[in-house]
Amino acid sequence: MLEYLRNAADKPVAKILIGILTFSFVGWGVAEWIFGGVAGDNTLVKVGDKEITMQQFNLEKSREMASMTREQQRAVYADAATGQALNDKVLSTLTTQAMAENRANDLGFVVTDARIASEIRDFPEFQLNGRFSTYLFDSVLRNSGYTEEDFANVLRSQILRSYVLGAMSVPLNIPDFVVTAAYDARYGQRQIDYSTVKFSDFAVDNPTDEQLKDFYAKNPHVVPEKRTVSYVLVSADMDKPDSYDEGYEKAIKVEDDIIAGDSLSAAASKNKAKFISLGTFDAEHRPVDAILTDAMMSNIFNMDEGLESEIIETKKGFVIVRVDKVIPSHNAEFEAVKQSLVSDWKREEQRKQAYVKANSILVDLNKGETLKNKQTATVSRTKGAPTDVLVAAFNSDIGTNSIVPGSDAFYVLHIEKEIAPKQDAKQKAALKKEMQNMSALEIMDDYNAFLIREYPVKVNEKVFNRFFAK
């Protein structure tokens, strides 16, 4: 391959902007067992016919981290959310690339050795005094841990993906009349008249018990489902193979004892594990506990009463969860919520009276009478009146009269006229660019959806949970 590169003609081509070879492999805690301990089961994700291995993930993550500042790198280590965001980004990048390569193969795209040679000779990293240097080529590959064949394959994949996705970067032609229509809609104004009828303007006496009961029958207070939960934790350092294996063996013994009839607490005590009682809680008010991630909460609230989970891998170790009791959602007793109903009842009564008043004003307005307590305003889509009024002002026709409901008032609205915006060439150019970008994103989203359907992503749960268990 190298001999071919040395002899290939130097043809001008568009540079493929990849930095695969120029980064230094920053340390990010890749233990030796990552490369060896799971060698028999090393596929992280399968995309169509292509497999993404942990080695590929590690290399891509190293490349991403090499482009970061030291502060950003420290944040990856120190903040779990930042580290997870980076993992998600890397996986997303790799799966997208794999889908594009699958599509390129299905379309029969081919990248010849001559094209690869020409591209490599054009890399500035491999040039000395404006000419391709075999010494620089050998040195950079050696320092980066790549063979000539490995790098050629990486570059070939990059070019194939550019064949598939390159068309998505071509700006779309947005007709001028479309831009003008969008500009007028965005920057146009309207002149409106409106009257405000506040709920608080109406005095309401305290309700009787009968009135409260009738109100509660129509507006019951639902107590959410609650669950009483406990679990056993077998602590383990999940990043160390010996600790992982030891913890898993102990977790299996705990599971066997539970199946044999032991309670969670007894099985934990017998195997020197931790037993934790979380008490009773609902889905929106979880106890403060490191294992209660969103995924764990979802598992807990999908389990049946009296059952234990399978062994679950977490960052703290291995967990077996039990749902001791399920208290279904139900309507609260009237007496338990009676006092809290009073303010709700009063507000509802004020709202009713405010609506009656607003409707009376609207009837008079429709008869041709002057709008009472009128406010006149020239409004845009974002300012000039309360938000609810603005929305209604641009969703109705000129000359329309209507009642607009708000959070604490009703508005009687009359739309008087439309005011065309002044034409601004710079604003229209910016709007056209925005519309081009939005259209390109929509097309890309549609194409990605097609690729996902055509080349489904399948996650190897065993490997994924070992590396990314929360």
Side-chain angles (χ1 to χ4, degrees), residues 382-418:
T382 59
K383 62 183 179 179
T387 301
D388 296 313
V389 174
L390 294 178
V391 173
F394 284 91
N395 283 345
S396 303
D397 296 330
I398 303 301
T400 299
N401 299 328
S402 62
I403 295 177
V404 180
S407 59
D408 58 2
F410 286 106
Y411 305 94
V412 182
L413 172 66
H414 169 70
I415 305 174
E416 178 65 25
K417 64 180 180 180
E418 191 158 18

Side-chain angles (χ1 to χ4, degrees), residues 337-464:
V337 296
K338 178 179 176 179
Q339 293 303 316
S340 64
L341 293 175
V342 174
S343 61
D344 292 340
W345 182 90
K346 284 186 173 183
R347 182 171 180 79
E348 182 62 22
E349 289 300 308
Q350 288 177 314
R351 187 178 186 280
K352 290 177 182 178
Q353 293 186 36
Y355 181 80
V356 171
K357 178 64 174 178
N359 189 63
S360 174
I361 295 173
L362 178 62
V363 170
D364 291 341
L365 179 62
N366 287 335
K367 290 179 179 179
E369 297 183 16
T370 302
L371 184 62
K372 297 177 181 178
N373 300 319
K374 175 177 72 173
Q375 292 178 266
T376 299
T378 298
V379 299
S380 68
R381 291 181 178 272
T382 59
K383 62 183 179 179
T387 301
D388 296 313
V389 174
L390 294 178
V391 173
F394 284 91
N395 283 345
S396 303
D397 296 330
I398 303 301
T400 299
N401 299 328
S402 62
I403 295 177
V404 180
S407 59
D408 58 2
F410 286 106
Y411 305 94
V412 182
L413 172 66
H414 169 70
I415 305 174
E416 178 65 25
K417 64 180 180 180
E418 191 158 18
I419 303 172
K422 293 180 180 180
Q423 299 299 305
D424 185 307
K426 288 185 178 180
Q427 283 187 323
K428 291 184 74 171
L431 179 59
K432 183 173 184 177
K433 182 66 175 179
E434 178 185 331
M435 294 175 72
Q436 288 176 327
N437 292 339
M438 291 178 63
S439 297
L441 287 175
E442 290 175 0
I443 293 174
M444 180 60 81
D445 286 343
D446 287 343
Y447 194 58
N448 281 340
F450 162 75
L451 292 177
I452 291 171
R453 292 193 302 270
E454 196 74 9
Y455 313 104
V457 178
K458 298 179 181 178
V459 178
N460 185 336
E461 296 289 347
K462 180 179 179 181
V463 176
F464 185 89

Side-chain angles (χ1 to χ4, degrees), residues 174-204:
I174 308 295
D176 289 341
F177 77 89
V178 175
V179 177
T180 299
Y183 181 85
D184 291 344
R186 175 175 294 187
Y187 297 107
Q189 296 179 314
R190 289 193 170 187
Q191 183 178 316
I192 63 172
D193 300 324
Y194 68 98
S195 179
T196 304
V197 183
K198 295 181 179 180
F199 301 167
S200 58
D201 289 342
F202 299 88
V204 176

Side-chain angles (χ1 to χ4, degrees), residues 216 221 223 331-341:
Y216 186 58
H221 176 74
V223 178
N331 291 345
E333 294 294 331
F334 171 73
E335 291 298 332
V337 296
K338 178 179 176 179
Q339 293 303 316
S340 64
L341 293 175

Side-chain angles (χ1 to χ4, degrees), residues 98-169:
M99 284 188 286
E101 289 175 31
N102 272 308
R103 188 60 183 163
N105 292 336
D106 286 352
L107 293 173
F109 292 155
V110 174
V111 180
T112 65
D113 286 347
R115 171 67 188 275
I116 295 297
S118 180
E119 293 290 344
I120 291 178
R121 291 174 66 87
D122 205 37
F123 267 82
E125 291 82 4
F126 304 147
Q127 293 183 1
L128 183 65
N129 298 324
R131 297 180 61 83
F132 176 76
S133 167
T134 57
Y135 171 75
L136 287 179
F137 179 74
D138 292 339
S139 297
V140 173
L141 258 64
R142 183 171 58 253
N143 293 336
S144 301
Y146 275 88
T147 65
E148 298 166 16
E149 183 179 3
D150 288 340
F151 179 62
N153 289 335
V154 168
L155 186 55
R156 180 174 281 106
S157 295
Q158 290 280 348
I159 297 173
L160 285 173
R161 291 196 292 272
S162 73
Y163 288 166
V164 173
L165 302 177
M168 302 301 168
S169 62

Side-chain angles (χ1 to χ4, degrees), residues 230-233 254 257-258 261-277 308 320 322 324:
S230 55
Y231 69 88
V232 174
L233 170 64
V254 172
D257 289 338
I258 293 171
D262 285 353
S263 65
L264 257 68
S265 58
S269 177
K270 185 182 296 185
N271 293 280
K272 297 182 180 179
K274 294 181 181 179
F275 171 76
I276 306 294
S277 176
E308 297 85 19
I320 299 175
R322 175 183 171 86
D324 300 301

